[in-house]
Amino acid sequence: MRKLLLLTTVILVGLVFLARLFYLQVYGGYEYDIFEDTAIKTEYTYPKRGYVYDRNGKLLVANQPSYDVMVIPREVKLMDSSNLKEFCDLLKITEEEFRKKLERANNYSPRLPSPFVPQLSKSDYAVLQEKMRKYEGFYIQKRSLRSYQTSIGANVLGSIGEVNRSTIKREPYYKLGDLIGKEGVEKSYEEVLRGTKGIKFIQKDRFNKNIGPFKEGILDTLPVPGKDIKITIDSELQAYGELLMKHKRGGIVAIEPSSGEILAMVTGPSYNPNILVGRNRSKNYTKLHYDSIAKPLFDRGLLAQYPPGSPFKVINALIGLQEGVVDEHDTFTCRMGYYYGGRRLTGCHHHRSPVNMNMGIAQSCNAYFINVYRRIIDKYDDAGEGMNKWAAHAKSFGLGNFLNNDLSVGRPGRIPDGDYYDRAYGDNRWGSTYIVSNAIGQGEVEATPIQLANMAAAIGNRGYYYTPHIIKNIEGDTIPSEFTTPKYTTIDRQHFEPVIQGMFDVFNDGTAKALKVEGIDICGKTGTAENFAIIDGKKTQLTDHSIFVAFAPKDNPKIAIAVFVENGYWGSRFAGRMASLMIEKYIKGHITRTDLENWILTHSLENEYAKPLSGESFKINGETTLQVIDNYAIKPEEPNP
């Protein structure tokens, strides 16, 4: 009986141990993580970041060596005062900064490496590397910084900077001190350009000394270099656009209509991308960030939502033709403006009357396009239905929504629909006369310069466009298919010819006749958009914006462009000149209209931008006269340059 009891006890104890062991291994155990092993030191080898070339193979962004002083807090030995002073002098920091940096690193992790002093110069590195053995817990990590081979395209190329903690939490690939693309193509193509870090695992003994590779290095990996990319930008055209935009604020976007490739993407003002490289990056970035007046970090070509002004009239012409409410021969009377119920709702400048479609586009007649717009909306029994139909047509040109491109920033613009006005006025409590400003690109319509350039490309292509994009080629890879698939508008092809002829006549006998370039058939549309700001709590009308959209040549266009110059007076004054010059530069490779070029390079708008701060009057020096009638600004829209 005793033997049986003993045997039973042994068996029960054995079962308990087995059950406990099973629980610990299956339920209560943990997976071994080499990165958590305190006896293993992890060292990363950083790969070469991919180079960036322009569309013609010109190198824009390369790499330069950089050296970071790294620290593992738990391995730092207490220094005497002389050693501490020497080390701080070598790093060019104070002893107080030393303590703060060490505390920051310890808060991140006492046993994982983190940057202590990043981006040493070559001379500092040469002096420091010979003495690093004296400072336990510190070592030098070599990596690459960007070397910009150009002074232009800062908004296009972007920059790289240290990852923040939220990025590290979201993407475990990154560690404290790693660099990541912050703006531009550096951000859009971060995963392509960065490559993959290599890893070495080093075994340490009980005295925390390195004794060699862990498991003879079988777990170590080599770094994989980032891929080189070729972007669609023509660096010469980009540089010329930035030259024209000096002392002005605005955006220029040029697109190749046959592919959607972005040829130039200018924002003004801009800056040299090299100032965001090295140890002065933070200081320089802060200076740019807090310039709340000029806003050099604000990419006006992609982010600025402006009223599109008169260039939007061609969209209303196309919608009117598609909806069958007008043909190219229909005429409307213009008596220096549009009248309704005996009241002039908006003005117009002097030209012949009555006006057909061709003349309406060439002379930018407000009355003509308001009549067309009202016919579109009033075609339907319900104004909301008419607005929805109109909005669907407009949005098919890429307006009023994100273009789904590969750029790191963007805004959707705005194309209002029936629901928008139902919310504003109440259901069925509004009609076409409430919203006539949409007919001339004012009112609630807003667009970014890249959307207007894409609109011009769609018109030049007679009804389709390719999604604007910045990538042309990725080393050993292909670009996404969404950039090579055409997007079609809702307008039938035959309706584009009369509109394109009208845009061509803008240069022949219209508002841009002084901007013709010999040997190039340019189709374009001038625009002037009202400009308001809140000053001392009052809505104040400032100097108008200058807008121009165009494509060239007329058949099989090679370039479509949108130019927007803030406070630029009227369309042909600044934006029109700049558009003609950009087109000639791209197609011919040189400038023959040196008169236009000299004018642009010698005229600044800095005085206009200072007016809200100085309290100076916004009178336009007699070049155009503003007259306010029922809260609408009536003005001659397009005087000759």
Side-chain angles (χ1 to χ4, degrees):
M1 186 66 180
R2 289 181 179 177
K3 290 183 178 180
L4 182 60
L5 181 61
L6 180 61
L7 180 62
T8 303
T9 302
V10 169
I11 292 173
L12 288 174
V13 171
L15 289 174
V16 168
F17 274 107
L18 286 174
R20 181 60 179 168
L21 182 62
F22 177 81
Y23 174 81
L24 289 174
Q25 289 185 336
V26 177
Y27 294 101
Y30 63 92
E31 183 179 352
Y32 173 70
D33 186 350
I34 192 172
F35 295 98
E36 298 292 330
D37 193 332
T38 57
I40 307 297
K41 179 182 178 182
T42 304
E43 287 187 357
Y44 293 99
T45 307
Y46 287 86
K48 176 185 82 71
R49 195 170 176 90
Y51 285 9
V52 181
Y53 298 85
D54 86 339
R55 67 186 295 109
N56 300 311
K58 180 180 178 180
L59 180 62
L60 299 178
V61 189
N63 297 313
Q64 59 180 311
S66 171
Y67 307 94
D68 294 350
V69 176
M70 307 293 289
V71 62
I72 303 174
R74 62 178 289 175
E75 297 181 11
V76 175
K77 302 299 183 185
L78 187 64
M79 301 183 197
D80 60 36
S81 58
S82 60
N83 274 348
L84 178 59
K85 184 178 185 307
E86 180 189 47
F87 192 50
C88 290
D89 288 345
L90 289 170
L91 296 178
K92 297 178 180 178
I93 62 175
T94 65
E95 293 183 20
E96 178 64 23
E97 287 175 322
F98 175 92
R99 283 186 281 271
K100 287 182 178 179
K101 289 176 179 290
L102 188 59
E103 182 182 1
R104 175 176 176 266
N106 191 64
N107 289 339
Y108 168 66
S109 173
R111 57 185 184 74
L112 294 179
S114 59
F116 191 73
V117 175
Q119 302 173 15
L120 295 177
S121 66
K122 288 183 181 179
S123 58
D124 290 340
Y125 165 70
V127 174
L128 187 62
Q129 68 167 340
E130 297 178 358
K131 301 185 177 183
M132 283 302 292
R133 58 183 175 78
K134 295 171 58 177
Y135 311 113
E136 292 189 48
F138 295 92
Y139 68 95
I140 294 178
Q141 172 78 63
K142 183 180 178 181
R143 70 175 81 216
S144 292
L145 287 183
R146 283 315 220 182
S147 174
Y148 294 95
Q149 309 296 299
T150 179
S151 61
I152 54 94
N155 63 309
V156 176
L157 301 173
S159 65
I160 59 174
E162 283 193 31
V163 293
N164 54 38
R165 293 182 184 275
S166 62
T167 301
I168 294 171
K169 187 175 181 180
R170 186 174 64 251
E171 300 183 51
Y173 170 85
Y174 296 101
K175 307 298 179 185
L176 193 66
D178 283 359
L179 302 176
I180 190 173
K182 293 289 188 177
E183 307 93 13
V185 295
E186 295 280 18
K187 180 177 181 180
S188 297
Y189 289 93
E190 162 68 13
E191 292 187 10
V192 173
L193 291 167
R194 77 183 182 195
T196 304
K197 289 180 289 190
I199 304 178
K200 290 182 179 179
F201 298 105
I202 300 172
Q203 182 75 57
K204 295 187 292 184
D205 63 15
R206 62 191 181 93
F207 300 107
N208 212 33
K209 301 292 184 183
N210 296 343
I211 59 175
F214 177 66
K215 290 190 176 180
E216 299 181 348
I218 62 172
L219 299 179
D220 295 353
T221 60
L222 293 173
V224 179
K227 295 180 179 180
D228 296 343
I229 64 173
K230 181 181 286 188
I231 60 175
T232 62
I233 293 293
D234 183 314
S235 58
E236 289 190 10
L237 187 66
Q238 177 77 18
Y240 188 61
E242 292 190 13
L243 176 66
L244 298 178
M245 191 59 81
K246 278 192 174 181
H247 306 298
K248 307 165 190 73
R249 297 176 190 169
I252 304 173
V253 179
I255 295 173
E256 184 179 64
S258 62
S259 65
E261 294 179 356
I262 300 171
L263 303 172
M265 194 165 66
V266 175
T267 184
S270 189
Y271 57 92
N272 188 325
N274 286 289
I275 70 172
L276 296 185
V277 176
R279 294 181 72 174
N280 289 325
R281 182 189 190 279
S282 179
K283 179 180 70 175
N284 291 332
Y285 183 86
T286 300
K287 183 178 178 181
L288 294 171
H289 178 75
Y290 285 105
D291 184 351
S292 59
I293 298 175
K295 300 179 181 178
L297 293 177
F298 183 69
D299 192 335
R300 287 170 166 86
L302 303 178
L303 294 173
Q305 297 184 147
Y306 304 103
S310 292
F312 191 72
K313 291 173 180 176
V314 297
I315 294 295
N316 281 314
L318 289 166
I319 296 173
L321 291 170
Q322 182 68 31
E323 287 293 306
V325 298
V326 69
D327 63 36
E328 61 186 289
H329 305 294
D330 287 341
T331 61
F332 298 97
T333 299
C334 178
R335 295 179 291 140
M336 294 291 290
Y338 178 78
Y339 290 79
Y340 180 77
R343 257 181 3 123
R344 184 160 69 157
L345 296 186
T346 187
C348 197
H349 54 281
H350 179 71
H351 54 72
R352 298 189 305 276
S353 181
V355 183
N356 63 13
M357 182 172 290
N358 182 275
M359 186 188 302
I361 296 172
Q363 299 298 330
S364 198
C365 176
N366 288 341
Y368 177 86
F369 285 100
I370 291 175
N371 276 292
V372 172
Y373 176 73
R374 288 200 61 205
R375 283 191 178 186
I376 296 167
I377 305 304
D378 294 343
K379 173 184 174 181
Y380 298 88
D381 293 335
D382 176 69
E385 183 183 355
M387 271 304 298
N388 289 338
K389 194 72 173 178
W390 174 86
H393 285 306
K395 288 180 178 179
S396 74
F397 286 82
L399 300 169
N401 52 60
F402 292 101
L403 287 167
N404 296 320
N405 51 43
D406 58 345
L407 305 171
S408 61
V409 295
R411 285 187 177 168
R414 181 170 60 213
I415 296 295
D417 56 14
D419 289 340
Y420 182 94
Y421 291 112
D422 281 342
R423 291 192 297 271
Y425 296 109
D427 293 352
N428 301 315
R429 299 183 65 181
W430 56 277
S432 61
T433 56
Y434 284 59
I435 51 176
V436 294
S437 293
N438 292 335
I440 56 176
Q442 294 279 171
E444 287 68 49
V445 177
E446 289 185 343
T448 60
I450 192 173
Q451 289 176 323
L452 293 179
N454 185 64
M455 178 190 82
I459 295 171
N461 287 339
R462 278 70 171 172
Y464 66 91
Y465 66 90
Y466 293 91
T467 299
H469 55 280
I470 202 74
I471 192 68
K472 187 172 180 67
N473 178 264
I474 300 173
E475 180 185 2
D477 206 346
T478 57
I479 67 172
S481 60
E482 65 250 36
F483 300 145
T484 59
T485 305
K487 279 73 174 176
Y488 289 89
T489 71
T490 56
I491 309 300
D492 295 336
R493 184 180 179 86
Q494 69 268 20
H495 296 314
F496 285 89
E497 292 307 324
V499 172
I500 289 172
Q501 185 61 43
M503 295 176 71
F504 181 65
D505 288 339
V506 166
F507 279 85
N508 286 332
D509 190 34
T511 53
K513 62 184 178 182
L515 306 179
K516 287 192 292 187
V517 176
E518 186 176 352
I520 304 178
D521 292 337
I522 305 177
C523 301
K525 184 69 193 76
T526 53
T528 304
E530 291 177 329
N531 177 22
F532 294 91
I534 304 299
I535 300 177
D536 295 330
K538 296 180 180 179
K539 185 178 181 181
T540 305
Q541 184 170 14
L542 311 184
T543 307
D544 292 343
H545 297 316
S546 175
I547 314 168
F548 201 91
V549 301
F551 61 86
K554 181 181 179 184
D555 298 315
N556 301 314
K558 293 180 173 64
I559 182 173
I561 192 167
V563 182
F564 204 107
V565 181
E566 295 179 4
N567 304 63
Y569 293 83
W570 57 85
S572 60
R573 181 172 172 83
F574 278 93
R577 284 179 166 98
M578 294 163 75
S580 288
L581 290 168
M582 290 285 285
I583 288 171
E584 184 177 27
K585 180 71 172 178
Y586 183 68
I587 292 179
K588 291 185 176 181
H590 63 277
I591 297 299
T592 62
R593 288 300 308 266
T594 54
D595 57 322
L596 300 182
E597 183 180 62
N598 291 336
W599 193 95
I600 286 292
L601 295 180
T602 56
H603 282 72
S604 168
L605 286 170
E606 296 293 355
N607 184 56
E608 286 295 330
Y609 305 136
K611 285 180 180 179
L613 303 176
S614 66
E616 186 180 343
S617 169
F618 294 100
K619 291 180 181 177
I620 309 182
N621 304 321
E623 291 172 302
T624 185
T625 303
L626 289 179
Q627 176 188 6
V628 178
I629 298 179
D630 296 329
N631 296 322
Y632 286 84
I634 313 301
K635 56 189 174 297
E637 187 193 11
E638 306 292 343
N640 287 332

